[in-house]
Amino acid sequence: MAKRQMPIFKRWAPEWLVKIILFSMTLPGIIIFFLPLTNINAAAGYYGSEPADIQFSVALFYAGYVGFYCLERRFFSFLAAKEYFLIFTTLQIAACLICYFTREVYVLFPVRFIQGMLFAGNVNLSLTLIFTRLSSERGREISFSVFFGILICALPFNNLITADLIDSYNFNIVYKTAIFSYLPGLIFLTLAMTNYRPNVRFHLYKLDWQSFAVFSTILVLIGYITIFGQEYYWLEDNRILGSVITIVTLVLLSIFRQNSIKRPYIELRVFKYRNFKVGLFILFVMYICRFASGITNSYFATELHLDPFYISYINIFNLSGLVIGVIIACCMVLQKKKIQYVWAPGFLMLLLFHALMYYSFDVQADEFNYYIPLFLQGLGVGLIMVPTIIFIISSVPASIGPSAAATALAIRYFGFCASIALINFFELFEKSRHYNAFQDHITVIDPFVKDFLHKQTAKLTAKGMLEDHAVKASNKLLVGRINVQDHVRFAMDYYEMMVWLLAGALLLILLFPYLNRTALYLKSRRLSPA
């Protein structure tokens, strides 16, 4: 007779409550994941840094999460669930405490990377304990959808709950809030969990820390290049050129190493499967288009002069679209719908969002015009996210499913970094192009320019300003109006490019019927989140 398995939780702790607590323990990590992006100007002001530094701190968290993903499984196999949870959560609280007290961005950077590593452990433990308790495929897919639903809602949710907090206190107050939000779940699960081991104990010898170091270095350098490349004029700067050469060298070294060792860090065999590569492409495109919504929020702040608190309320429509999209996608996955029936509506929603926003950008506008486009953007992302990740994992044999999940996670990181690089490049390039075009057409003899300068000068002199000063101020106001037009035209050009990219992705989805040959389901009960 088989030996009876030890229960994970003590008898007095109801399983439904434990599952809720486990899910809730991932929330603080998800909140601090994209926290600096909720109010990038407030974060940059608090640390005395540039906005690019704040973007890099998010990329470092992401790189830590992606790089440690595969190595973390060894620690998970070595430690009992209770001690694993206690160690990683305590370290996460300590990391939040350092972020709360420090104002040095160069102290923040390594701590953010470590937070990403700890987040990988926290998420893996929570979802694995839930997955192993779910015998049905339906339950696993619902849990998967709930986790990713929470993850993709992180940005609008963070904006909503932290806008007033950051406005009323210093930026670091959110790290203090995260510390206290960890404590109730930590105390409860410490009392409720037994010394259960979800896997057979494997000792921590032959840890492939070399692959972790190489892979993490590649990820950090990619984030560095994409975020700071435009600021340093790309390959003209020795730092960017050196980073590119280092990445190429490390990638070749990593490929050689993975093909040589007995237990690869990531199985490169996953790239032999056609649908796997198609799924990665779809996920990459979706992530580039997803973060283009940051241009919309920037437009609300700079052109419409909406405060962060009001912008967070407008993004409730985006948040509601995400939730509804995830629910619909989950239902379609459970009903075994063809992947084309999920992807096509999702990308159509994203295409409609970018097309509507293209015609809605203006120097003066009513915020009510943006409710429907924001909802459509959330609906599209919600429809695409979970089915695509399940499609990627289902495209390969279950034995290399963890490598497929790790690759999908890396592609999401690359999509995040690529979107930042594209926005930074096109913002500078398109703004300068339109500024020069305006300069070619705007002259002091232009009747519209003369009329504007005359009216502004008259208004300023009527309020008591000296005429010479009023003329100079009017010229500055004209330059300000041109800068506003530059930003609006850049946003329109970028969204037009996204429309063409999404149209190409839709054609790929509709013209290749072989995509439907992959059965869309989770094969493993011990699958970790991608």
Side-chain angles (χ1 to χ4, degrees):
M1 184 179 292
K3 185 179 178 180
R4 187 184 176 191
Q5 190 181 45
M6 182 179 180
I8 304 176
F9 305 104
K10 296 177 181 177
R11 292 182 178 178
W12 59 267
E15 189 166 325
W16 62 268
L17 179 60
V18 170
K19 288 179 181 177
I20 292 174
I21 296 295
L22 284 171
F23 262 126
S24 68
M25 289 301 289
T26 64
L27 283 175
I30 290 172
I31 289 173
I32 61 176
F33 195 150
F34 292 107
L35 172 63
L37 296 183
T38 56
N39 194 329
I40 196 167
N41 292 325
Y46 179 78
Y47 291 108
S49 61
E50 299 178 4
D53 294 321
I54 304 305
Q55 291 177 331
F56 188 54
S57 72
V58 178
L60 284 170
F61 189 106
Y62 219 147
Y65 178 27
V66 178
F68 191 61
Y69 174 83
C70 294
L71 188 64
E72 180 271 339
R73 300 172 69 85
R74 290 293 308 277
F75 290 94
F76 187 69
S77 301
F78 175 72
L79 298 168
K82 183 176 181 179
E83 59 185 347
Y84 182 91
F85 174 79
L86 288 174
I87 291 171
F88 273 71
T89 306
T90 304
L91 289 174
Q92 189 68 277
I93 291 174
C96 287
L97 200 62
I98 295 172
C99 291
Y100 174 72
F101 283 111
T102 187
R103 299 194 70 156
E104 291 293 329
V105 71
Y106 294 107
V107 175
L108 180 72
F109 284 164
V111 176
R112 288 286 294 178
F113 183 84
I114 293 170
Q115 282 184 321
M117 295 171 57
L118 298 172
F119 177 70
N122 193 357
V123 168
N124 189 26
L125 173 65
S126 299
L127 283 196
T128 300
L129 290 182
I130 293 171
F131 265 51
T132 52
R133 308 290 286 178
L134 299 171
S135 57
S136 70
E137 174 196 337
R138 176 181 294 268
R140 293 196 296 274
E141 286 166 352
I142 290 173
S143 298
F144 213 64
S145 298
V146 170
F147 169 73
F148 279 105
I150 294 172
L151 188 60
I152 62 178
C153 289
L155 271 174
F157 182 72
N158 281 3
N159 288 335
L160 183 64
I161 65 171
T162 63
D164 189 48
L165 201 63
I166 294 173
D167 187 58
S168 302
Y169 302 94
N170 283 336
F171 177 81
N172 66 335
I173 190 67
V174 185
Y175 287 111
K176 186 177 183 180
T177 307
I179 292 170
F180 285 105
S181 62
Y182 274 118
L183 293 178
L186 178 65
I187 295 170
F188 175 83
L189 292 177
T190 300
L191 298 175
M193 292 177 72
T194 64
N195 291 320
Y196 165 81
R197 292 183 183 276
N199 300 303
V200 177
R201 177 170 177 147
F202 290 98
H203 291 285
L204 291 176
Y205 62 89
K206 293 184 179 179
L207 274 176
D208 194 5
W209 60 267
Q210 297 95 335
S211 294
F212 163 70
V214 170
F215 189 37
S216 297
T217 303
I218 293 171
L219 294 171
V220 170
L221 289 178
I222 287 173
Y224 179 79
I225 291 170
T226 53
I227 292 170
F228 293 100
Q230 185 63 53
E231 183 179 340
Y232 299 150
Y233 297 100
W234 300 105
L235 297 179
E236 293 181 16
D237 187 87
N238 291 331
R239 290 168 290 187
I240 302 299
L241 180 61
S243 298
V244 171
I245 295 171
T246 305
I247 288 174
V248 173
T249 305
L250 291 179
V251 166
L252 295 175
L253 176 65
S254 182
I255 292 173
F256 176 76
R257 178 178 172 78
Q258 299 309 308
N259 288 325
S260 303
I261 60 179
K262 185 178 180 182
R263 295 182 179 86
Y265 201 65
I266 295 177
E267 288 275 3
L268 299 182
R269 288 185 293 131
V270 294
F271 291 100
K272 295 180 180 179
Y273 299 90
R274 182 175 55 182
N275 278 6
F276 173 79
K277 291 182 282 189
V278 172
L280 292 183
F281 171 76
I282 294 294
L283 191 62
F284 183 74
V285 171
M286 189 275 285
Y287 255 69
I288 289 178
C289 297
R290 176 195 174 192
F291 287 102
S293 60
I295 295 176
T296 303
N297 288 331
S298 176
Y299 165 74
F300 289 155
T302 56
E303 285 15 291
L304 301 188
H305 305 291
L306 302 179
D307 60 71
F309 190 67
Y310 196 78
I311 292 173
S312 70
Y313 272 97
I314 293 177
N315 277 303
I316 289 177
F317 290 90
N318 185 253
L319 183 62
S320 59
L322 286 167
V323 172
I324 294 172
V326 169
I327 293 172
I328 294 173
C330 182
C331 294
M332 296 178 81
V333 169
L334 293 175
Q335 293 171 8
K336 299 292 187 295
K337 296 292 184 183
K338 294 180 178 180
I339 190 63
Q340 287 175 318
Y341 295 162
V342 183
W343 280 346
F347 277 100
L348 184 60
M349 294 298 105
L350 288 178
L351 192 150
L352 284 173
F353 162 73
H354 289 88
L356 288 172
M357 288 302 303
Y358 177 85
Y359 290 105
S360 300
F361 284 123
D362 204 344
V363 292
Q364 291 181 336
D366 191 339
E367 63 271 16
F368 294 104
N369 297 333
Y370 303 103
Y371 292 167
I372 293 176
L374 287 172
F375 176 82
L376 291 176
Q377 198 266 354
L379 185 64
V381 172
L383 281 170
I384 297 168
M385 181 75 164
V386 176
T388 305
I389 293 174
I390 296 176
F391 177 83
I392 289 170
I393 298 170
S394 303
S395 300
V396 302
S399 59
I400 56 175
S403 292
T407 309
L409 180 55
I411 285 295
R412 287 164 49 206
Y413 172 76
F414 296 151
F416 168 74
C417 292
S419 68
I420 292 177
L422 284 171
I423 291 172
N424 289 344
F425 173 76
F426 277 94
E427 185 171 12
L428 182 63
F429 177 77
E430 293 296 321
K431 276 187 175 182
S432 61
R433 186 171 70 87
H434 288 298
Y435 187 82
N436 293 330
F438 280 125
Q439 278 189 326
D440 292 339
H441 292 85
I442 294 176
T443 61
V444 291
I445 60 173
D446 186 290
F448 292 102
V449 175
K450 290 174 66 177
D451 182 60
F452 175 83
L453 292 174
H454 176 72
K455 286 182 178 178
Q456 295 301 322
T457 303
K459 286 181 181 178
L460 294 172
T461 53
K463 292 183 178 180
M465 185 177 287
L466 294 175
E467 187 172 353
D468 290 343
H469 294 169
V471 171
K472 293 179 181 178
S474 298
N475 286 312
K476 288 184 178 180
L477 288 173
L478 178 63
V479 173
R481 291 289 182 91
I482 294 174
N483 288 332
V484 169
Q485 290 286 351
D486 293 341
H487 190 269
V488 171
R489 289 302 309 178
F490 143 71
M492 293 174 68
D493 292 344
Y494 191 84
Y495 273 52
E496 182 182 8
M497 183 182 70
M498 290 294 106
V499 167
W500 288 111
L501 179 63
L502 289 164
L506 267 175
L507 282 175
L508 172 70
I509 292 166
L510 297 174
L511 296 180
F512 291 91
Y514 67 77
L515 296 175
N516 291 321
R517 295 176 188 170
T518 296
L520 209 61
Y521 68 97
L522 295 175
K523 303 171 186 176
S524 173
R525 290 184 62 187
R526 297 189 184 278
L527 183 66
S528 298

